Structures are given as structure tokens and as C-alpha cells.
Amino acid sequence: MQETTENRLAKDRLAQAATVFECSTEGIIILNKDKLVDCANNAFYSMTQYQECNLKNKELPFLTHRSLDENIFKDLWHSVETHGCWRGEIKAFKRNKEIMYIWLTIGLIPVETGMEKQFVVMISDISKIRETQEQLTHFAYYDSLTNLPNRILIMDRLNQSIAKAARDSSLLGILFIDLDNFKRINDTLGHKNGDSMLCLISQRILSVLRQSDTLGRLSGDEYITIAGNVESYDALIRIAEKILDCISKPVVLSNMEIIPSCSIGISVYPHHSENPDHLVQMADTAMYEAKNNGRNNYAFYHPGLTQRAVHHLTRERELHHALINNEFLLHFQPQFSLINEEIIGVEALIRWKHPKKGLLLPAEIIPVAETSRLIIDIGNWVLREACKQLHQWRNDGLNNLRMSVNVSIRQLADNNLQKFIAKLLHQYSLPAHSLELEITESCLQNELIYISCLEQLKKLGILISIDDFGTGYSCLSSLKNLPIHRLKIDQSFVKGIPLDKNDCAIATAVLALAQKLNLQVTAEGIETYDQIIFLLDHGCNELQGYWLSKPVSPKQIPDLIRDFPDQFTSLKS
């Protein structure tokens, strides 16, 4: 008799191992002592498309010193020989040359003394995982619409470019690009057409950049270009001009031809800063300077722009507090009818009792307020206070006085303006014709929302005048079709009268146009008696200016109205 239990257990273990070998979804290869293929399972052949006859007693194609980096090859086998295994990810090729990424495990098979050593190699195809990772990485670092680098990748490349510029002692330019009036495309043609335009603009910019330059999309219609190794500011100007030129070519969207444009701000390393975030911020600030200079333009950063931006932010915060703390007040500049020798109206002008700088004029208030909704709150405050003051004067017997109030574009775009004014008229028992709203010429540019608001105000009986007429881009058909009651000739055209022939011609033309359209005219900025004589001779009866009266506090208006006939007589003499 002979004990066979150990033999039976050994056979069972071999059967188990054989089953695992054949049924495993991982590729398993056994290498002999010379690291040549002894056998492999079906999963390996299926995965790599090799056949047994291709590999028997040959090296695994992806484990040769030719397919692996020389250092990796040495480290891999040294680890196997020393520690018994190695694990890691490598790139391999199937028999058809298709790339695959595999997770590789190599183990030294333990054998008894005197027996030849063997190695087991196990591989898992992780190509899908790698592909997903690459897609996620792409989404993380590239813009999904234009496929340009996004903010994260742009800032990383900017850091690298700054490091290179520092090593080479060269200049580096950052160009901040913002499309002009892009919101109109989305609003009128839809976001799909807007996206198409953004993709087209991206390709246009790429076509004129150097191969070494980087273009990225920050957000919306904002792009940034990193231009490295530039020899001078002139080189950056040439790049900016190429971008402006390529963008300005016509684009057809939904059968509509559009002429796009952009504004470009430029900052330069190391002249402006060595900090990447600061350089981008400076280029952004310079871009707004380009927009302020008329758009479709470029501007270089300079320290004054930052000072201006800081001043703007500080002033905006102060204006919020001023509104809350009741620091605003109104002064009123009389408007005169010289034919009747009387004051027929006043223009309400805001003043600011600044706690540190004293009394500030509208130029310190309006430009900052107009960049935000703050202008609506301040404008409504002016309307309320002006109506309240007019009510007080009417109670004092000044029943024929007209109140003129300046209204911004943002206020006209506010759907509540008409209801707000109607409420004020009712609250202070004012006839609608006693209130005149002065709007700028930009409100005449056939914007439906402005036209609708003016029509609503007309139904209330409010008078509408065009302030600073001639300084903007007037649509003459609007003068005919819109409910406009008065034109105000800007002081820049009055200043040279009667010596400047051009000023005289413009003033005369405006007066003739107004007469034909049955519009009233008020001339602003009267500073001399000769200006009065010229304007009266050409049919302008209503005048306003420092020669007649500066803006004054409300308590001075009744005295001015009472004393004006005598005052005018003394002025003429």
C-alpha cells in the first residue's frame, strides 16, 4: 500500500491553477528562465490579437529593452529579481499596431532548489480607463466649445512662459481680447449662432498667431493670448493689429452679415509685473481702456489705469453709502425766456456733500453710477426730490415753472420708470407738462425698449428733450417719429459764437431743423451777451448758462424769478 493523499492534493491544485489560467479575464503569460514566452492563456491572445505561433520561445513584444525606456527596463527586471515582483502601467501595441494601455504585474515563480526559475506576467487592458481619464483631463483644461485652453491651463502655461522669459531675459506679452457688443448677437440671433461665432473667431485668431503663441478662452467672449519671446512693444502691436484685422472680416449668421470687432488690452512682462495673475488683471484693465477709446482698438497697460480702477471701486462704494446716508442734494440752474424776460424753468443738477472732499459736481457721480444699477437708484432719487421741490414752489405761487431732469439710458430701460413717474405726479399733485425729461442722443438709436418707454411717457403728458444735441449720432428720423418736444444745443457749439464760423453754422442749422420739425430749442452754456444776440437773431428764445445764472440752491430760485427783469436790464448795460 502507498499513501496518495499528497499526490491527489497536488493534482487538485494544478487543476485549480489551470482553470484560473484559462478562465481569467486577465492575460497571463509564463516566461522561462530566459524571459521567453513558454505559454499564455486565451485572454492574452484575445487581448493582443497575437497567436501562440507568433510568440512561442520569443520575447514579449512590450517587455523588450527596445519597447521600454532603457532605465525602466533595467529597473523592472532588477525589482523582479530582488523583490520578486514589479507592477506598473505601460504602453503596448497589439499585433495590428493599435495602441493599448496595460496594467502589468510580473512575479517570480518560487521553485525548489535546482529547478529552473520561471516568471508569470499578468496584464489588464486599461485603455478605456486611460481614455476616460484623458477625456476628464481634457474637460478640466480645455474649453468645451472652442477646444482652446481654459483659464486653468492658460495660467499654467503663463507660469511656464514667464519662467522661460526670465531665463532668456526676453519680453512676454499678454493680450486680453474681448469681443465688442457680443451680447447683441446672443440677444438677436440666439446663443447657437453666438457659439458658432465664438468658434469662428477662435480659428481666425489662431490663424494669425505664431506657432509659439498660446491662445485660450477665459469665459464668454473673452480670450487671452500669451506672446513669448518678443523683442519690443512694436512686435506686440503687430500681433494686436493682426488680431483686430482678422476679426473684423464679415461673418454671416442666419443669412445676416455681421462685422465683428474686438478690444485688446496688453500687459508686458517684466515691465508691468512679474506676477502672472497681476499681468492678466493689468491686460484686462487695459482692455477696458481700449473700449473707452472707441472699441475695435488696443491699449497698453499703464499704472494710471489701475489707479483709475481703484478710484472707480472706491467711488462706487462711497456712492452707495451716500445714497443711504442722504448725502446728495439738488441745485437748480434757471432756464430763461429773453423775449418775455422771465425764468420759465429750471434744470435739476445733483450735488454730493462728500464727508471729506466737500461739495462734488455730477462729473464725480454720474460716470461711476452709470456703470451699474446704482444710476437707477440715484436717478430715481433725483426725480423724487425734483418733484417734491417743484410741489413746494407751486405751493409758494410759482405755478408756471417747468422742472427739467436728466434721465439715463439705464433708467429708460427700467420697466418701472413710467409707473414711478406717474406715482410721483400723483403724490405731489403735479401736471405732467410741468416735468421735462432730458435724454441723451444715444437713446435715439432705435432701441425698442427706449422707444417703448418714451411712448409710455408721452401718454402721461411728460415733455421730452434731447440734451447736448449734436454731440452724438442722431437718427434724424427719430426726431420726426419720437415724442420729442425740445432740442438743447450743446455748449461746445455755443462757446465759439459769434466768432467761430463752424459753431455759428451748426447752431443755425439746428435752429432751422427744429423750426421745420416744430421743436422748441434751448441753448446751453451761455457765457457772453454776444452769444445771446446771435441766438435771439436766429430764433432761439430759451437760454441757459453761467452768464445768466449758475446753478443755485432751491431757496434762491424765488428771488431770482422775482428780480430777473431788473437783473437782465443791468446785464445788458
Side-chain angles (χ1 to χ4, degrees):
M1 296 179 62
Q2 186 177 358
E3 175 67 53
T4 61
T5 303
E6 288 297 329
N7 290 339
R8 177 55 64 90
L9 290 174
K11 286 180 181 179
D12 290 344
R13 284 194 293 269
L14 287 173
Q16 291 169 358
T19 302
V20 171
F21 183 80
E22 290 301 333
C23 296
S24 175
T25 57
E26 289 188 330
I28 302 175
I29 311 100
I30 304 297
L31 305 181
N32 62 24
K33 63 181 179 64
D34 298 319
K35 304 183 181 67
L36 304 179
V37 176
D38 182 64
C39 63
N41 67 352
N42 290 332
F44 168 77
Y45 291 121
S46 176
M47 197 181 298
T48 63
Q49 298 183 3
Y50 282 102
Q51 297 178 354
E52 185 176 359
C53 61
N54 302 133
L55 297 179
K56 185 67 174 179
N57 293 322
K58 294 180 181 178
E59 288 184 291
L60 272 176
F62 48 80
L63 275 186
T64 67
H65 68 277
R66 296 181 299 276
S67 61
L68 294 173
D69 179 83
E70 190 69 31
N71 291 330
I72 294 177
F73 181 81
K74 290 179 179 179
D75 291 343
L76 181 154
W77 287 112
H78 179 265
S79 178
V80 173
E81 297 286 356
T82 305
H83 304 291
C85 77
W86 182 90
R87 294 183 182 87
E89 179 185 334
I90 65 171
K91 182 170 73 172
F93 291 90
K94 298 180 181 181
R95 191 184 180 195
N96 62 0
K97 306 303 181 183
E98 181 183 340
I99 294 177
M100 63 183 298
Y101 293 91
I102 61 176
W103 182 258
L104 177 68
T105 301
I106 305 176
L108 178 62
I109 300 175
V111 294
E112 295 181 8
T113 304
M115 295 181 66
E116 291 185 347
K117 62 183 177 181
Q118 290 182 312
F119 306 91
V120 61
V121 178
M122 291 180 288
I123 64 170
S124 299
D125 187 353
I126 59 171
S127 299
K128 292 293 184 184
I129 297 174
R130 169 55 75 91
E131 183 181 335
T132 302
Q133 288 176 336
E134 289 178 349
Q135 288 176 349
L136 291 173
T137 300
H138 191 84
F139 291 149
Y141 294 107
Y142 288 86
D143 173 51
S144 59
L145 176 63
T146 62
N147 207 34
L148 294 175
N150 63 13
R151 182 183 295 272
I152 296 173
L153 185 55
I154 274 290
M155 295 308 297
D156 180 68
R157 291 190 180 178
L158 180 55
N159 277 291
Q160 295 178 27
S161 298
I162 288 175
K164 184 178 186 302
R167 290 194 303 270
D168 299 341
S169 298
S170 62
L171 296 180
L172 174 72
I174 292 87
L175 289 79
F176 197 106
I177 306 163
D178 185 271
L179 300 184
D180 296 329
N181 301 314
F182 178 72
K183 186 176 183 297
R184 291 183 182 176
I185 303 296
N186 283 334
D187 291 346
T188 56
L189 301 180
H191 288 273
K192 185 177 180 180
N193 282 308
D195 289 347
S196 298
M197 183 170 173
L198 290 174
C199 292
L200 178 61
I201 294 296
S202 302
Q203 294 305 311
R204 286 186 176 184
I205 299 174
L206 283 172
S207 69
V208 300
L209 293 181
R210 302 170 302 171
Q211 201 167 20
S212 59
D213 298 334
T214 298
L215 175 67
R217 181 183 177 216
L218 294 182
S219 64
D221 59 341
E222 294 178 340
Y223 299 85
I224 192 167
T225 294
I226 302 171
N229 196 28
V230 290
E231 65 277 7
S232 66
Y233 279 42
D234 288 340
L236 292 171
I237 291 174
R238 288 193 293 272
I239 294 173
E241 288 176 340
K242 285 181 180 179
I243 293 173
L244 290 169
D245 181 62
C246 78
I247 286 180
S248 64
K249 292 179 173 58
V251 177
V252 178
L253 298 172
S254 295
N255 297 321
M256 180 180 294
E257 185 176 81
I258 297 167
I259 310 297
S261 67
C262 71
S263 300
I264 304 175
I266 308 172
S267 62
V268 182
Y269 167 91
H271 294 172
H272 297 142
S273 177
E274 297 181 0
N275 182 289
D277 292 320
H278 293 171
L279 286 167
V280 172
Q281 182 181 350
M282 290 170 175
D284 188 8
T285 301
M287 180 272 294
Y288 282 105
E289 177 72 1
K291 285 193 181 293
N292 291 336
N293 291 338
R295 304 177 187 269
N296 195 26
N297 204 350
Y298 65 85
F300 280 91
Y301 171 81
H302 59 83
L305 297 179
T306 296
Q307 295 169 6
R308 192 185 310 169
V310 171
H311 171 76
H312 183 96
L313 288 175
T314 303
R315 183 49 49 86
E316 186 174 10
R317 185 181 68 251
E318 289 179 330
L319 288 174
H320 277 288
H321 291 309
L323 197 57
I324 295 171
N325 297 331
N326 199 29
E327 295 175 5
F328 295 127
L329 56 87
L330 292 182
H331 280 187
F332 300 89
Q333 186 171 31
Q335 298 166 333
F336 300 85
S337 171
L338 297 191
I339 297 297
N340 300 326
E341 295 188 4
E342 65 176 348
I343 294 174
I344 44 97
V346 295
E347 180 180 357
L349 299 168
I350 192 170
R351 298 291 187 266
W352 179 11
K353 296 179 294 182
H354 194 282
K356 295 181 180 179
K357 299 181 179 180
L359 198 64
L360 299 182
L361 300 179
E364 296 288 341
I365 305 168
I366 304 304
V368 174
E370 281 185 331
T371 61
S372 69
R373 186 176 171 81
L374 190 60
I375 190 63
I376 296 178
D377 296 331
I378 292 177
N380 288 347
W381 179 90
V382 172
L383 279 168
R384 185 185 300 106
E385 292 299 310
C387 289
K388 181 180 178 181
Q389 183 60 61
L390 184 59
H391 173 72
Q392 180 63 52
W393 284 330
R394 289 174 66 85
N395 286 342
D396 294 340
L398 304 179
N399 294 318
N400 297 322
L401 200 61
R402 182 183 69 229
M403 176 68 73
S404 295
V405 179
N406 293 279
V407 177
S408 75
I409 280 186
R410 283 182 177 266
Q411 283 178 276
L412 287 179
D414 183 10
N415 294 329
N416 296 318
L417 180 64
Q418 186 259 358
K419 293 180 181 178
F420 178 72
I421 291 178
K423 183 179 178 181
L424 290 177
L425 295 177
H426 176 74
Q427 180 180 354
Y428 293 108
S429 304
L430 299 176
H433 66 266
S434 66
L435 180 62
E436 182 172 278
L437 302 182
E438 297 188 9
I439 62 174
T440 59
E441 286 189 82
S442 54
C443 299
L444 298 176
Q445 303 306 310
N446 287 330
E447 292 284 354
L448 293 178
I449 189 169
Y450 306 143
I451 295 173
S452 174
C453 182
L454 292 176
E455 293 292 349
Q456 290 175 358
L457 293 170
K458 175 186 178 182
K459 291 178 181 178
L460 283 179
I462 302 295
L463 303 179
I464 306 293
S465 68
I466 304 301
D467 192 20
D468 300 335
F469 184 75
T471 60
Y473 300 93
S474 295
C475 177
L476 295 182
S477 64
S478 296
L479 296 180
K480 179 182 71 172
N481 297 324
L482 291 179
I484 300 165
H485 173 76
R486 181 185 312 279
L487 302 180
K488 297 189 74 174
I489 303 176
D490 184 64
Q491 59 184 340
S492 61
F493 302 126
V494 174
K495 185 176 182 180
I497 293 174
L499 300 178
D500 189 303
K501 293 182 179 179
N502 292 329
D503 284 349
C504 291
I506 291 172
T508 302
V510 172
L511 289 165
L513 176 66
Q515 184 180 6
K516 293 294 183 182
L517 294 175
N518 197 28
L519 298 174
Q520 301 295 316
V521 179
T522 299
E524 297 181 298
I526 301 299
E527 295 181 353
T528 69
Y529 184 66
D530 289 339
Q531 292 170 344
I532 293 177
I533 296 301
F534 178 89
L535 291 166
L536 285 175
D537 288 344
H538 288 82
C540 182
N541 176 40
E542 295 191 12
L543 306 171
Q544 177 179 347
Y546 276 24
W547 191 82
L548 295 161
S549 174
K550 294 181 178 181
V552 297
S553 64
K555 65 181 181 181
Q556 294 176 265
I557 292 296
D559 292 338
L560 281 176
I561 292 175
R562 184 185 63 251
D563 299 338
F564 177 66
D566 295 335
Q567 179 190 4
F568 183 61
T569 301
S570 64
L571 287 172
K572 288 191 292 184
S573 61

